[in-house]
Amino acid sequence: MNDLAPAAVPGRNRSAALPAALRRAAPALAAYAAIRLLGVTVLALWSAADGKDWHTLLTARWDSLWYTRVAEQGYGYTVQLANGDVHSNLAFFPLLPWLERGLAAVSPLSPADAGMVVAWLASLAAAWALYATGERVHGPRAGVALAALWAALPVGIVQSMAYSESLFTALAAWGVHAVLTGRWVTAGVLASLAGLTRPVGVAVVAAVWVTAAVTVWRGRDGGAGGIRATLRAHRGLLPGVLLAPLGWCGFFLWVGAHEGSFTGYLDVQGGWGNGFDGGLAFARFLWQLPPAAGLGLALGVALVIWLHVHGVRRGQPLPLAVYGGVVLLLALTAKGYFGSKPRLMMPAFPLLLPLAAGLAKWRPVRAWLVVGLVAAGSAVYGAFWLNGSGPP
């Protein structure tokens, strides 16, 4: 299979192909919805027993409050902490607040509830994209397993919160899928939208750019004529490459102009204690933990790195390898609140592809028993987590 080939479906048949694709994805969407429903149900029961409101935990805590404030009041809100740090809402990318504001304007929903609705719908769109990716790379059963494993991540409850992870993963996964199927303009538009959703949108841009560069490089043997032939064969490649970074760069430059400095966005993130130091702060954090906890966390980091390397060595398509690698790199080299790292790695769904491919080879009863156990563990952990420290 040529993963960089143009899409095979003629334009006149696309309207018929969409329902067929949705029917194929239906088992994956059903599995995803069941796992997430389990997670929310366990959260509701746990919260009731703990005297808390599950709805508040999903819509009005932590970053959800910042997104809602942007939706309601726009940018410019800051909080100065006792130690002098300044937390500015300019750290939060605008697409989710825009959608919250728009949905609240045309419905009876509050911006906070609109954010949860966007997250739930986007998570289903992400599950569909994961199924389509798994189906293309390893077959239908792997596609179902990939969507189910993503739903059952330990921090999978975040997918049901008024956070931007679900929206970003949906845009990123469909964007990478568009690269796989040669729909370059679509990939560029989705990469640009992902870049308006989270800082890690640069990973989608990297997937588009690196794959485009390799595609053109492969056509270099014919000289300029070969490159021109490659561009003709991959229609929309150059527009897609140009569109991809517009969202991320646009917000970065706008914040810079707002702050009066080209590095304004980095300065804003610095006020939150965030930034990139090559993983030094994370290494110090591991070293300072009790030995058993530090070793366990280090083994977890080694596992996710191994999953990425294993996928690449097994021939994972280039756009997936680049995207997953960049998400992982940014998560592991960022400083800040280290409890956020599992959440930051959640959009790196290509890491789950080797596991999904392995599950697809098992007998269905055995595979679903494993997925069910993992989903139950995820539901319990998610309820415990949100009723405790929760995501920062």
Side-chain angles (χ1 to χ4, degrees):
M1 181 184 296
N2 180 3
D3 290 310
L4 301 182
V9 180
R12 63 179 180 275
N13 292 331
R14 285 177 183 168
S15 59
L18 184 60
L22 182 56
R23 284 194 298 272
R24 293 199 307 274
L29 296 177
Y32 177 85
I35 293 170
R36 293 294 352 116
L37 178 61
L38 174 64
V40 173
T41 300
V42 172
L43 172 67
L45 295 174
W46 190 302
S47 301
D50 204 32
K52 296 179 181 178
D53 179 19
W54 68 273
H55 177 264
T56 299
L57 293 175
L58 293 180
T59 63
R61 293 290 305 277
W62 306 290
D63 289 2
S64 299
L65 294 171
W66 288 87
Y67 283 119
T68 299
R69 187 172 283 112
V70 173
E72 293 175 336
Q73 303 174 12
Y75 285 106
Y77 177 82
T78 61
V79 173
Q80 185 162 1
L81 306 184
N83 64 359
D85 289 344
V86 176
H87 287 185
S88 167
N89 65 359
L90 289 167
F92 295 88
F93 276 53
L95 186 57
L96 177 59
W98 287 347
L99 294 176
E100 289 179 342
R101 182 186 302 171
L103 183 55
V106 298
S107 73
L109 296 172
S110 67
D113 285 337
M116 185 171 69
V117 170
V118 169
W120 287 17
L121 294 176
S123 69
L124 286 170
W128 187 359
L130 267 59
Y131 169 79
T133 302
E135 177 193 42
R136 182 175 182 84
V137 178
H138 294 297
R141 290 185 61 187
V144 175
L146 182 60
L149 287 174
W150 189 66
L153 288 172
V155 293
I157 191 65
V158 175
Q159 298 165 21
S160 302
M161 297 178 67
Y163 269 45
S164 61
E165 274 78 5
S166 291
L167 178 61
F168 173 79
T169 305
L171 294 168
W174 279 118
V176 172
H177 186 269
V179 179
L180 283 172
T181 53
R183 294 171 293 132
W184 292 99
V185 173
T186 300
V189 171
L190 290 171
S192 186
L193 291 173
L196 284 171
T197 308
R198 292 191 62 79
V200 75
V202 295
V204 194
V205 179
V208 174
W209 280 12
V210 172
T211 308
V214 170
T215 301
V216 173
W217 179 258
R218 289 176 178 175
R220 75 192 187 286
D221 291 340
I227 293 175
R228 285 195 294 270
T230 299
L231 294 176
R232 287 196 298 271
H234 295 270
R235 290 177 298 175
L237 186 148
L238 284 180
V241 166
L242 295 175
L243 285 168
L246 293 183
W248 191 94
C249 289
F251 186 67
F252 184 93
L253 293 174
W254 179 82
V255 174
H258 186 277
E259 296 294 284
S261 168
F262 178 75
T263 61
Y265 180 76
L266 300 178
D267 298 336
V268 167
Q269 286 286 2
W272 283 81
N274 298 326
F276 296 94
D277 63 357
L280 294 177
F282 186 42
R284 287 195 297 270
F285 171 74
L286 287 176
W287 183 257
Q288 293 167 0
L289 288 174
L295 178 60
L297 189 52
L299 289 175
V301 171
L303 174 62
V304 295
I305 294 174
W306 179 84
L307 286 172
H308 175 65
V309 173
H310 180 68
V312 172
R313 293 183 63 183
R314 293 291 299 271
Q316 192 171 95
L318 182 62
L320 290 166
V322 171
Y323 167 76
V326 173
V327 173
L328 184 59
L329 177 67
L330 293 177
L332 293 180
T333 59
K335 60 181 181 179
Y337 183 74
F338 298 111
S340 298
K341 291 196 180 293
R343 178 169 66 87
L344 296 178
M345 287 189 284
M346 190 169 64
F349 65 89
L351 299 178
L352 299 174
L353 267 172
L355 300 177
L359 278 177
K361 297 176 183 178
W362 290 8
R363 294 174 58 185
V365 172
R366 183 185 177 195
W368 282 113
L369 177 61
V370 170
V371 170
L373 290 174
V374 173
S378 170
V380 171
Y381 177 76
F384 167 78
W385 189 41
L386 289 198
N387 279 279
S389 62

